[in-house]
Amino acid sequence: MALLARTPAALDALLRGLPETWTHRNEGEGAFTAVDVVGHLIYADKEDWVPRARMILEYGEKRPFEPFDRWGHVRECEGRTLVQLLDEFARVRAGCLDDLRALNLSLSQLKLRGRHPSLGPVTLSELLATWAAHDLTHVHQISRIMAHQHRDKVGPFDAFLGVLKCNGHCA
Amino acid sequence: MALLARTPAALDALLRGLPETWTHRNEGEGAFTAVDVVGHLIYADKEDWVPRARMILEYGEKRPFEPFDRWGHVRECEGRTLVQLLDEFARVRAGCLDDLRALNLSLSQLKLRGRHPSLGPVTLSELLATWAAHDLTHVHQISRIMAHQHRDKVGPFDAFLGVLKCNGHCA
């Protein structure tokens, strides 16, 4: 929760007011921009983490989670500026953390299992740990997307810039 | 400069007050913690970017840059807390950007070449673009270092977390 609470402010500090050459370009066809990533984080907070935690508590392994739509954020982003999305992410995340606190989960509840539609059985604890790691995977992705926009400006220094060597396995 | 100005606040929002399990652990022997990375960014600002820009303006290709000490930050970090380092990074970065503005570089100056001790000739423009990309490579690294600490908590979800598959090429 300490990490989950910090991600919106970290992305806000990094992205708000940056020129669109950094934030509105992707790494190629079908790839996310930094704006898409913020939309995806909002959409995942609304559809994925706390809703799935509730499903584990209610149904256990009996009912699989709803599949997650990797492009579901397109609706979140439509007609909205990056600034509006950053504000929305802060608001939605704070609400999700309130919801999580209100569940007041016990250690035995954290060990309960649900059913992921493709991964099979997962524990509530694994789901919540993944929420935090998912934030980090997208911080990782945003740094890579932005560095890509700068790729042709660094000349021979690209040899020293690991982020420019990071490829799809990090997507 | 827009990106360079934002990195200290982004890392501050991400790291300040986080439990040390996230910030004070590395990925293995000889690897950086998130605290090391902040120290490294301070040290690089003091020793690397603006000093090298000045060398290009003064000596061109005649004199190679001083080699950079990848572990030079150990002195920066000694006896200082992460909070102190985050404060110092904000202060040092703001000073470097003031220095850069004061140089009031022209387009023709940006094309001037210096000599990197291992890469050979590089332009002032490439040096400054690399400063920004270097920030991003270390945001990338911090997200990876922190995700590593969570590796054994996510269960089968690790299949979906690109940051957990990122290896040394991003270091």
Side-chain angles (χ1 to χ4, degrees):
Chain A
M1 288 187 74
L3 181 71
L4 289 166
R6 280 163 175 78
T7 308
L11 292 185
D12 194 286
L14 186 65
L15 299 176
R16 184 179 295 250
L18 258 196
E20 294 191 357
T21 50
W22 291 108
T23 54
H24 286 60
R25 291 186 184 170
N26 64 17
E27 296 164 287
E29 203 177 316
F32 279 17
T33 65
V35 179
D36 286 323
V37 175
V38 177
H40 168 81
L41 289 168
I42 295 169
Y43 182 72
D45 268 22
K46 288 182 176 173
E47 300 292 328
D48 221 23
W49 309 108
V50 174
R52 287 179 169 189
R54 290 207 165 104
M55 280 200 68
I56 294 176
L57 294 171
E58 192 161 354
Y59 301 105
E61 291 188 65
K62 276 184 237 137
R63 204 172 130 183
F65 307 146
E66 296 296 323
F68 182 76
D69 177 2
R70 191 172 169 271
W71 289 96
H73 67 274
V74 172
R75 276 170 281 155
E76 293 299 332
C77 294
E78 218 162 48
R80 303 171 78 190
T81 65
L82 175 56
V83 165
Q84 288 171 325
L85 291 170
L86 289 166
D87 287 340
E88 171 82 348
F89 182 36
R91 196 184 63 75
V92 169
R93 175 58 58 88
C96 287
L97 291 178
D98 286 344
D99 291 346
L100 180 60
R101 273 183 216 98
L103 290 177
N104 197 22
L105 296 169
S106 66
L107 278 175
S108 62
Q109 283 177 310
L110 286 169
K111 290 177 190 157
L112 292 174
R113 286 169 191 278
R115 183 175 299 279
H116 187 280
S118 64
L119 298 172
V122 293
T123 67
L124 181 46
S125 166
E126 287 164 351
L127 177 77
L128 297 175
T130 301
W131 188 5
H134 179 261
D135 275 12
L136 291 171
T137 218
H138 286 293
V139 171
H140 195 252
Q141 182 188 22
I142 284 176
S143 67
R144 193 186 71 229
I145 297 169
M146 296 211 298
H148 178 77
Q149 313 313 322
H150 230 42
R151 185 180 290 279
D152 61 354
K153 298 182 182 70
V154 299
F157 284 106
D158 64 355
F160 293 159
L161 294 165
V163 69
L164 293 178
K165 290 172 203 138
C166 196
N167 59 27
H169 76 248
C170 302
Chain B
M1 288 187 75
L3 181 72
L4 289 167
R6 281 164 174 76
T7 308
L11 293 185
D12 194 286
L14 186 65
L15 300 175
R16 185 178 294 249
L18 259 195
E20 294 191 357
T21 50
W22 292 108
T23 55
H24 287 60
R25 290 186 185 170
N26 64 17
E27 297 165 285
E29 203 177 315
F32 279 17
T33 64
V35 179
D36 286 322
V37 175
V38 178
H40 168 80
L41 289 168
I42 296 169
Y43 183 72
D45 267 22
K46 287 182 177 174
E47 300 292 329
D48 221 23
W49 309 109
V50 174
R52 287 179 169 190
R54 290 205 165 106
M55 280 201 67
I56 293 176
L57 293 170
E58 191 160 355
Y59 302 105
E61 293 187 64
K62 276 184 238 139
R63 205 173 128 182
F65 307 146
E66 296 296 321
F68 183 76
D69 178 2
R70 191 171 168 272
W71 289 95
H73 68 274
V74 172
R75 276 170 281 156
E76 293 299 331
C77 293
E78 217 162 49
R80 303 170 78 189
T81 65
L82 174 56
V83 164
Q84 288 171 325
L85 291 170
L86 289 166
D87 287 340
E88 171 82 348
F89 182 36
R91 195 184 64 74
V92 170
R93 173 59 57 90
C96 287
L97 292 177
D98 285 344
D99 291 345
L100 181 60
R101 273 182 216 100
L103 290 176
N104 197 21
L105 296 169
S106 66
L107 277 175
S108 62
Q109 283 176 311
L110 286 168
K111 291 178 190 157
L112 292 173
R113 286 170 191 278
R115 183 176 301 278
H116 187 281
S118 64
L119 298 172
V122 293
T123 68
L124 181 46
S125 167
E126 287 163 351
L127 177 77
L128 297 176
T130 301
W131 189 5
H134 179 261
D135 274 12
L136 291 171
T137 220
H138 286 293
V139 171
H140 195 253
Q141 182 187 22
I142 284 177
S143 66
R144 192 186 73 228
I145 297 168
M146 296 211 298
H148 178 77
Q149 314 313 322
H150 231 44
R151 186 180 289 281
D152 61 354
K153 297 182 182 72
V154 299
F157 284 105
D158 64 355
F160 294 159
L161 295 165
V163 69
L164 293 178
K165 291 172 203 138
C166 195
N167 60 27
H169 76 248
C170 301

